[in-house]
Amino acid sequence: MAILMKKCICFPPPGYHRKMETFVYKLHKSLYGLKQAFRQGFSQFSTALRDMGFTSSQANHSLFIQHHNGASIFILLYVDDFIITRTDSSLISVVQDQLCQRFHIKDLGILKYFLGIEVAHSKAGLYLCQRKYILDILKDSGHTACCPADTPMESHLQLNDSDGSPLDDPSSYRCLVGLLIYLTVTRPDIIYTVNILSQFMHQPRQPHMDAAYCLLCYLKATSGQGLFFSSTSTLHPQAYCDLDCASCSMTRRSTTGYCIFLGTSPISWKTKKQNTISRSSPEAEYRAMAMATCEITWLSYLMRDLGDPFIEPVPWHCDNQVAIHIATNPVFHKRTKHIEIDCHVVHEKITQSMIHPIKVASDLQIVDLVTKALDCDSFHQHASKLSFRNLQVPTGGGSLSVTTHAHTASLSIPLD
């Protein structure tokens, strides 16, 4: 997309040499690839959308929304690419005509591929995966013919920054982990492993590279696996929150994880090592609850902008009863007086009826998948509850096996 700029000062492009190297050049148009071009392009495009009656979401400034006569249209912008969706199909053609009058745009049709994410449509729902991206990673790393693995990491594997010999070329490890980080956009089943591997970017060693190769073997076996968003699923949210207490052998800090569902489909997940050392598992769980609460709060703002706010308190599943008591009853002063004040946002949101904590059995805690390395049986048991699908493994007759944490069914999904 060509965007005009009023003023821009830049250095000569690579390969262009003059005798006076101290000169800079004033551009009348932005050059694609410059740092200023992306900011100027977003500014020009967002200004045009606001002139057309769109408003920017306060939860995501790249999301533009317009409500008109009971219908809505949404535009998600990323640099010079954007996605348009709507509740009324006639609105898209109107918006496209208005944009064509101001910019040179190209209509790529129904969304099938965006930023490395493959999209498959059907009446049953929407399927997202990164199969091509995975195959490219395997090819670049030379693991196209590797033996498949059942899990992304060996059970109870403990990595540290002292065992093993340092890598001769650490850049290969850093590049590989960087590629894997983006893969977690559609693969919550590998987020824990990637989180562990990313902690050794400063000085990777051979055991770290071996663990990364094990993850590649798992990706080889599940390259076609992705997330399925059912069109018949409800829009009732629910959250799961858990931690692995003092799991880091180097710092003794706990690992926090959460997964938030909209109906039967996961829409947000994260795993992170806590910033401080907790004195007890309830305290560590309370800190984990605070992080998940902030994410639920943000999602509530986003859903409100989309026109479908959370009406009822979000069911929030936690397997630590003491942490739930601390969150609902602030009388436990001796146990909480040393905890940072921002963690007490949990009690505030419970009082405001935004979340509703529920005790769940430890063996039913889905988030164990993103907080620790599990054995094969436990891993696949929890992974089956995350609405994962594999379009490369038909169940016969062109049907696709559909498994959710609510039920199991077989649906015929013709792809566009």
Side-chain angles (χ1 to χ4, degrees), residues 103-411:
F103 305 103
H104 296 288
I105 66 173
K106 182 179 180 181
D107 185 3
L108 300 179
I110 298 176
L111 180 64
K112 295 183 179 179
Y113 190 82
F114 188 74
L115 302 179
I117 301 175
E118 301 171 53
V119 183
H121 305 263
S122 76
K123 294 181 180 180
L126 199 65
Y127 172 79
L128 305 180
C129 76
Q130 293 174 276
R131 182 175 182 271
K132 182 182 182 300
Y133 185 79
I134 293 175
L135 296 179
D136 290 341
I137 294 177
L138 294 175
K139 181 180 178 181
D140 295 341
S141 61
H143 281 71
T144 305
C146 65
C147 296
D150 293 329
T151 58
M153 176 179 281
E154 296 180 12
S155 177
H156 307 298
L157 177 65
Q158 291 288 337
L159 297 176
N160 54 61
D161 54 4
S162 58
D163 293 343
S165 58
L167 297 179
D168 296 332
D169 182 17
S171 61
S172 59
Y173 177 86
R174 294 164 182 162
C175 180
L176 176 59
V177 175
L179 294 172
L180 293 173
I181 289 175
Y182 184 66
L183 186 57
T184 60
V185 173
T186 60
R187 297 295 296 268
D189 55 330
I190 68 170
I191 189 172
Y192 172 76
T193 305
V194 175
N195 173 265
I196 295 298
L197 296 177
S198 63
Q199 297 178 24
F200 304 101
M201 301 278 273
H202 60 290
Q203 190 177 5
R205 296 176 176 268
Q206 191 58 46
H208 310 147
M209 182 61 82
D210 294 339
Y213 288 158
C214 179
L215 176 56
L216 293 179
C217 294
Y218 171 74
L219 294 175
K220 170 68 180 301
T222 60
S223 61
Q225 189 165 278
L227 293 175
F228 178 72
F229 298 89
S230 175
S231 60
T232 60
S233 176
T234 65
L235 296 181
H236 298 296
Q238 55 180 329
Y240 291 82
C241 177
D242 196 22
L243 85 158
D244 191 11
C245 189
S247 58
C248 181
S249 60
M250 299 175 292
T251 62
R252 307 312 299 173
R253 295 180 182 178
S254 303
T255 300
T256 295
Y258 65 76
C259 187
I260 302 174
F261 290 80
L262 193 62
T264 59
S265 304
I267 58 174
S268 179
W269 50 85
K270 185 176 183 179
T271 181
K272 185 180 184 296
K273 186 165 65 175
Q274 294 187 355
N275 296 327
T276 60
I277 300 175
S278 298
R279 298 179 60 192
S280 62
S281 59
E283 177 186 336
E285 190 86 41
Y286 190 55
R287 297 181 187 275
M289 294 167 72
M291 186 176 72
T293 300
C294 294
E295 184 70 8
I296 295 173
T297 303
W298 174 76
L299 287 173
S300 68
Y301 297 153
L302 182 61
M303 293 299 294
R304 182 184 60 191
D305 291 341
L306 294 175
D308 196 354
F310 297 157
I311 300 176
E312 299 178 355
V314 178
W316 184 18
H317 301 83
C318 175
D319 60 3
N320 193 305
Q321 188 66 58
V322 178
I324 294 178
H325 286 324
I326 294 176
T328 55
N329 184 7
V331 174
F332 288 83
H333 182 62
K334 292 183 179 180
R335 297 189 181 184
T336 60
K337 64 181 182 180
H338 63 284
I339 301 177
E340 291 87 343
I341 295 178
D342 61 336
C343 291
H344 297 300
V345 67
V346 181
H347 175 70
E348 178 182 349
K349 297 305 178 181
I350 293 177
T351 305
Q352 296 175 357
S353 298
M354 175 175 288
I355 57 177
H356 174 60
I358 299 175
K359 177 68 168 64
V360 64
S362 298
D363 56 344
L364 299 178
Q365 181 57 273
I366 300 176
V367 193
D368 278 349
L369 184 73
V370 302
T371 57
K372 54 182 70 72
L374 302 175
D375 59 81
C376 184
D377 293 337
S378 299
F379 177 83
H380 289 286
Q381 178 184 358
H382 291 301
S384 65
K385 303 173 184 178
L386 292 176
S387 292
F388 275 138
R389 312 289 180 269
N390 194 336
L391 291 187
Q392 309 302 315
V393 186
T395 60
S399 298
L400 180 68
S401 179
V402 177
T403 305
T404 69
H405 63 283
H407 62 279
T408 301
S410 180
L411 300 178

